[in-house]
Amino acid sequence: MLRWLPALFVLVAITAQAQSDRRGSADHPAVERFPLSYIVDYRQREVPEYRLILGGLEKVDGVIRPEHEQRIKGDMTRITYRMPTGHSSTEPFRFMRDQLLKKGAQVMFECQGRDCGSSNYWANSIFRISRLYGVDQTQHYLAARLGQDYFVLYTVIRGNKRVYAHLEVLSSEQGDLTQTLEAQGYARLEAGGELPATLFEYLESNPEVKIWVVGLDRSVEGFEAALEKSEQQADAVAQMMRQQVDASRVRVYGLGPLAPLMIGEGEAGVYLIRE
């Protein structure tokens, strides 16, 4: 009877690792999961303003702030995996990170251990998933871009030795802005919208291109008020652009309500026009 115990133990151990995924969940097509891991949390939703963290976290005046971040609008898929027993947080991180790099993903920021800041901040303030609160020195974080998609990967070991890998993928709704600008010479940017990283890559690759930032506004009464507001909106966009490109390549103009065919009643927006 004793000779059967080792085989029985192995069978039980393997069964414990091969857990079922959460109902309705699925892997993201761009990233294969770590072997024998399983999904414990899965969500898909449209995000009006996603915070892409591009620096370590710290608390300043009681507020959790990253060293740098980017705001993006789009559709998000978020998947949390639990790793099989006996693995480190480094193994799934490298496994999934290497897949992205082999596909040509651009690393925007990555950190590990205490350089990322407190795991408590990441778990409860950024991801808002308490099970991701683990030991600081076991953290790994990656933010990368592949095409028009942004990927965030975070792995950590909890105090109870459980290892989790968290993946967030955001498909940016503004990914086609640069393609539109290049193809037809102009593209509309919603008032208050973020500029995609691809725009700056395009301008860097085409140093001869100059951009007119033209503001339009039919949301306020009075010609002079609309004219002033439209110029302010255009100037705000231009200021963002001038932080990364030569200021002489960016010009500003406010049209207020003077282009009614380009913008509807009660609307406001900014057009980028290639010179």
Side-chain angles (χ1 to χ4, degrees):
M1 184 66 179
L2 292 176
R3 285 179 295 179
W4 288 98
L5 288 177
L8 178 61
F9 175 78
V10 172
L11 178 61
V12 172
I14 293 176
T15 302
Q17 291 181 357
Q19 298 289 333
S20 299
D21 290 341
R22 179 173 178 173
R23 180 176 297 179
S25 64
D27 294 322
H28 189 277
V31 184
E32 179 184 346
R33 73 176 67 189
F34 188 77
L36 292 180
S37 62
Y38 58 96
I39 299 174
V40 296
D41 191 34
Y42 180 86
R43 301 177 190 178
Q44 286 184 311
R45 63 187 178 93
E46 181 180 355
V47 182
E49 188 177 62
Y50 178 84
R51 297 178 68 193
L52 181 66
I53 306 301
L54 301 174
L57 301 179
E58 58 181 358
K59 181 177 285 189
V60 180
D61 297 329
V63 179
I64 307 302
R65 296 177 181 173
E67 295 173 348
H68 185 57
E69 67 180 305
Q70 183 175 336
R71 303 289 177 125
I72 308 169
K73 178 181 180 181
D75 296 321
M76 182 181 70
T77 299
R78 60 188 310 185
I79 312 169
T80 307
Y81 296 93
R82 181 177 167 186
M83 299 301 108
T85 303
H87 290 279
S88 67
S89 58
T90 303
E91 293 173 90
F93 181 81
R94 289 179 177 173
F95 182 82
M96 301 170 84
R97 177 184 184 275
D98 288 348
Q99 293 178 56
L100 291 171
L101 296 187
K102 288 178 181 178
K103 292 180 178 181
Q106 173 193 355
V107 175
M108 303 176 71
F109 172 74
E110 62 181 321
C111 63
Q112 65 178 20
R114 292 190 173 90
D115 289 341
C116 300
S118 170
S119 176
N120 181 33
Y121 298 163
W122 287 100
N124 296 309
S125 297
I126 302 301
F127 299 125
R128 300 186 184 279
I129 300 176
S130 59
R131 62 161 51 96
L132 295 178
Y133 176 27
V135 181
D136 290 350
Q137 58 263 38
T138 68
Q139 298 175 107
H140 294 271
Y141 175 84
L142 169 74
R145 184 172 61 83
L146 179 60
Q148 308 305 333
D149 293 338
Y150 294 85
F151 292 79
V152 165
L153 177 62
Y154 180 79
T155 64
V156 71
I157 301 178
R158 284 179 56 85
N160 59 12
K161 307 302 181 184
R162 292 179 180 176
V163 181
Y164 291 95
H166 182 70
L167 176 69
E168 294 188 349
V169 185
L170 190 91
S171 297
S172 174
E173 293 182 358
Q174 295 184 6
D176 293 333
L177 183 147
T178 304
Q179 296 175 9
T180 302
L181 178 64
E182 187 174 9
Q184 63 186 30
Y186 67 90
R188 180 177 174 178
L189 178 70
E190 295 297 328
E194 291 290 331
L195 296 171
T198 51
L199 173 63
F200 298 108
E201 293 178 359
Y202 167 71
L203 292 175
E204 184 177 355
S205 301
N206 300 273
E208 76 286 354
V209 172
K210 296 181 181 179
I211 299 292
W212 280 91
V213 185
V214 179
L216 306 168
D217 198 298
R218 300 184 70 194
S219 65
V220 295
E221 295 184 2
F223 177 81
E224 293 295 337
L227 198 64
E228 181 179 0
K229 184 177 178 182
S230 67
E231 187 169 351
Q232 291 174 347
Q233 292 171 339
D235 188 60
V237 174
Q239 291 299 329
M240 288 191 291
M241 295 181 65
R242 287 167 177 159
Q243 292 177 7
Q244 299 195 48
V245 300
D246 186 349
S248 65
R249 299 175 62 190
V250 184
R251 305 181 184 186
V252 177
Y253 201 81
L255 283 177
L258 292 178
L261 295 181
M262 299 178 72
I263 195 164
E265 188 71 36
E267 293 184 347
V270 173
Y271 273 80
L272 302 182
I273 303 176
R274 191 177 62 190
E275 183 177 316

